[in-house]
Amino acid sequence: MRLPVDRWNPEAEIIARAARALREGRLVAFPTETVYGLGADGLDEAAVRAIYRAKGRPSDNPLILHLADVAGAERVAFVDDRARRLMDLFWPGPLTLVLPARCGVVPAVTRGGLETVALRMPSHPVALALIEAAGLPVAAPSANRSGRPSPTEAEAVEEDLGEAVAIILDGGSTDVGVESTVVDATGPSLLLLRPGALPLERIEETEGVVDLPRKGEGRRSPGTRYRHYAPDRPLLLWDETLQWESLQGAVGYIGIEAPSRPVAVEVRFRTVEDYARGLFSALRHLERSGVDLIVAQWPRREGLGLALRDRLLRASGRG
Ligand code: AMP
Ligand code: MG
């Protein structure tokens, strides 16, 4: 059931109802500042299994626990000084920290069998109100079928998950449009597991260089092994290797600059922030518009460009 909710001032009655559903072990989809999340009680094994089932998500791909404050983080993980500093700087917001888990508290299914757990405190008023009202760490991956573009509006959640969710809180379009930045903070230096909505430069301003996983070195974030974010059409990247002349059929285009030749459908953005905000809904729109393939402009590697490159690369099947 889809319930409209006031983004800035969510109605207490609606939040209470959704919180009750979570406490009863059911699934609730809700907006965050990044994308829509598919939430369940992160400490309830059966509820967490229902998330994996609804998404068709591989069971070794752990979930992020969403919390309403730092105290909530301390109940489920070991939080050291560096982690606390990062939380003070960037929470609430789109930074996910991977920390050593309190394994007796957080079930193994939530952790994907690892001894660490991923944590984040979202800034979206609806997400925060829901987590607070539920009084639980809310496990929430993106509310799409596994492998599909992430949902940035409630309609996309309904399209992918429909009946599997008890309640979809509809707070309109999300702000950033790409998922959180995931940083492993268990080792001596910070390691970027997934570029995302918090630009890497912002973290490096205070923490110095954050390591990037090296190619070929078994990546430490299970989720990055899987094809992801993909529309049901081939997606090509417009970089220096793309041969516009050889494209066959109706072409859909997304990007900031004008495409090199006329295309059947184009979605243009003004800035890299707009591109990030609109990427996933543009991919879904182009699928529906019946084009044969999609060309996406390859953005520069700065700010949100880093996250966009990651999502586009994996949507193209090359990541
Ligand atoms: P999603 O919830 O689909 O946005 O993805 C969450 C991302 O965080 C995935 O790439 C997961 O593999 C990653 N992640 C979650 N928990 C952990 C963990 N304990 N260690 C490493 N990566 C994690
Ligand atoms: Mg996802």
Side-chain angles (χ1 to χ4, degrees), residues 25-72:
R26 289 183 290 147
L27 302 184
V28 174
F30 59 95
T32 78
E33 68 276 25
T34 59
V35 303
Y36 273 76
L38 176 61
D41 176 350
L43 305 185
D44 174 343
E45 220 179 292
V48 170
R49 280 191 205 290
I51 291 185
Y52 284 96
R53 227 176 12 250
K55 281 182 63 83
R57 181 175 173 110
S59 61
D60 64 350
N61 187 6
L63 306 180
I64 297 172
L65 286 181
H66 291 67
L67 313 154
D69 48 35
V70 174

Side-chain angles (χ1 to χ4, degrees), residues 57 61-64 98 114 116-118 141-142 193-194 220-223:
R57 181 175 173 110
N61 187 6
L63 306 180
I64 297 172
V98 171
L114 301 173
T116 54
V117 64
S142 50
L193 296 179
R194 174 178 75 184
R220 281 206 262 160
S221 187

